[in-house]
Amino acid sequence: ARMTGSVDTNGHGARGGATQDFEALAGPILRSFLNGKKATGDVVHKMDLVGFYLGAEGHRGAEGFRSQLESIYAKAKKSLEIVFVSLDESAEEYQSMTKAMPWWSIPFEAAGERKFTGDSCPLASLARKNRLDLSQPNLLLFNHEGYLISARGASLLLEHGTELLKCLEIQDDKEAKNKMTSTSFLGFSLGLNWERRIQSATVLLFCMMVPMVVFFMTWTLILLIIPFTTLPTLVYIIWSTCIDTAPYDGSRTPILRKMPLWNYFRDYFPLELVKTADLDPSKNYMFCYHPHGILSLGAWGTFASDATGFPEKFPGIDRRLLTLNINFKVPVLREWLLSHGICEAGARSIQTILKKGPGSSVVLVVGGAQEALFTQPNHNHLYLTHRYGFVREAIKAGAQLVPCYAFGENDIYDTLFFEEGTWVYWLQVKVKKMLSFSMPIFHGRGLFFKKLPFILPFRRPMKVVVGRPIPVPRVHPEIDLRNSAWGRSIVKQVHGEYLKALRELWDEHKNLSVSGLERKNTLVLD
């Protein structure tokens, strides 16, 4: 689990103050050729990112890397601070390196006292534990709370410098002055970036859909009690529950997908859609989304909105994201979902939508409520080994299976994970069976105060990678895929092919530079 605050040499956090954290890594004082000496805490204060640049004069590619780093540092100066860690053998080499650097550095000490520089320093040890090559420049990126975001910040910079700037939402001075204003909240002085506040409000709108169920149900009961609203409310309930077929046939036009509001949702993390293969619009597809995470925010941003560019990357594909049937029993909420192309998750809706015509497709979060209980930052645990239902439905409809993996979905909330056999896990499973959805224990960040636990997710990048389609065999409609031996063998064969394709997708993309925190490079299937 993510532990905010101090940093140890294993790359994991431990609770504590941020100033003390960075002092443990870099020492109490930092030096700059231009600005003299300054306390470490004062240098990193209010920075979104702190990068420790491990380098030496003789490193291959040092000049080119430093040149690019200087370029992004100049643009990101208010959000990114760089601290140079010398791996040089002599003070002369250190002086030669640092005199032209615009950022701070850890003071070079005598060889026998080099606690914070050289091969034995904590940062070098951290780099080695992440299997980094110390014969070339390395950049360890931490967030303002002292959490290691990436041990491979150098490749992140060289390959995705533009994306990093976008992630930091850096504005030039003139634009920043227009967007920033000073105000106070409960006596605290705040500098508000209104674009970031809109992003937070948009994500909060999505996150509050679950609590709003109680509000909508209560309001409906009130309308039923009030005499002059009783009849229209009753008519709406009858129509929505007995007449309207949109929840299972996808007939409602998704008019809200293109709302500009969802661009703010995308940029909050930020969220990116990665295409690996073309999809033939004359065929039908079942997109299988992994992992479930806490709220499947990546699935919403990618498939329930057009913010990540799905229509442009996959023209002719009409997708419908599927969710729990209970959501369509809630007045108002059901209309909101249907207007984004959301439909019921069930065999009837899958078959109806997939057989509508060429390009008609569904998006299924396969792991479901059980997989939500597996959610942990920096872990990739899927509930999939014994999930055969989605394969059966795809074969029945003749739809190709498309594996999708959201790198970073599990990282955007902190969770309390309980092993099987504990009484809390037993209770969570019981609740899941009764309510059809699970209740993992989690928290994110605050709306106004980052360290105040709340329902807002952390601003950590997500990349949804859409894999190559997997063809399924054609079978006669009368074949029982569930109970006949031949039918079960076909399902197991396709299921095995899907697991293999998903692992290949994982192996190919698991080292994405801006996919979030440094993660365990193992995919666990349960």
Side-chain angles (χ1 to χ4, degrees), residues 179-250:
K179 292 187 177 182
M180 299 285 286
T181 182
S182 296
T183 186
S184 62
F185 180 78
L186 299 179
F188 291 90
S189 178
L190 299 174
L192 294 182
N193 181 315
W194 288 110
E195 185 170 351
R196 290 174 69 89
R197 298 303 147 227
I198 296 173
Q199 292 171 4
S200 298
T202 305
V203 175
L204 182 63
L205 173 67
F206 174 86
C207 295
M208 292 301 290
M209 282 197 292
V210 175
M212 288 297 285
V213 168
V214 177
F215 171 80
F216 289 134
M217 295 298 288
T218 303
W219 184 246
T220 303
L221 290 175
I222 294 173
L223 292 177
L224 283 171
I225 295 172
I226 300 174
F228 66 89
T229 59
T230 299
L231 183 59
T233 304
L234 195 59
V235 170
Y236 170 78
I237 292 174
I238 294 173
W239 170 80
S240 63
T241 56
C242 303
I243 300 174
D244 187 24
T245 61
Y248 70 84
D249 65 12

Side-chain angles (χ1 to χ4, degrees), residues 1-2 15 203-204 206-211 292-297 372-377 409-418 424 428 437-446 452-458 460:
R2 173 187 175 276
R15 296 190 182 279
V203 175
L204 182 63
F206 174 86
C207 295
M208 292 301 290
M209 282 197 292
V210 175
H292 183 284
I294 297 297
L295 296 177
S296 300
L297 279 90
L373 296 178
F374 296 158
T375 302
Q376 295 183 80
E409 180 73 63
N410 280 351
D411 299 333
I412 57 178
Y413 283 107
D414 284 354
T415 62
L416 286 178
F417 177 73
F418 299 96
V424 179
Q428 288 177 321
F437 59 86
S438 59
M439 299 184 69
I441 301 175
F442 68 95
H443 77 84
R445 49 159 289 179
L452 181 67
F454 191 53
I455 198 172
L456 267 182
F458 294 103
R460 294 171 182 164

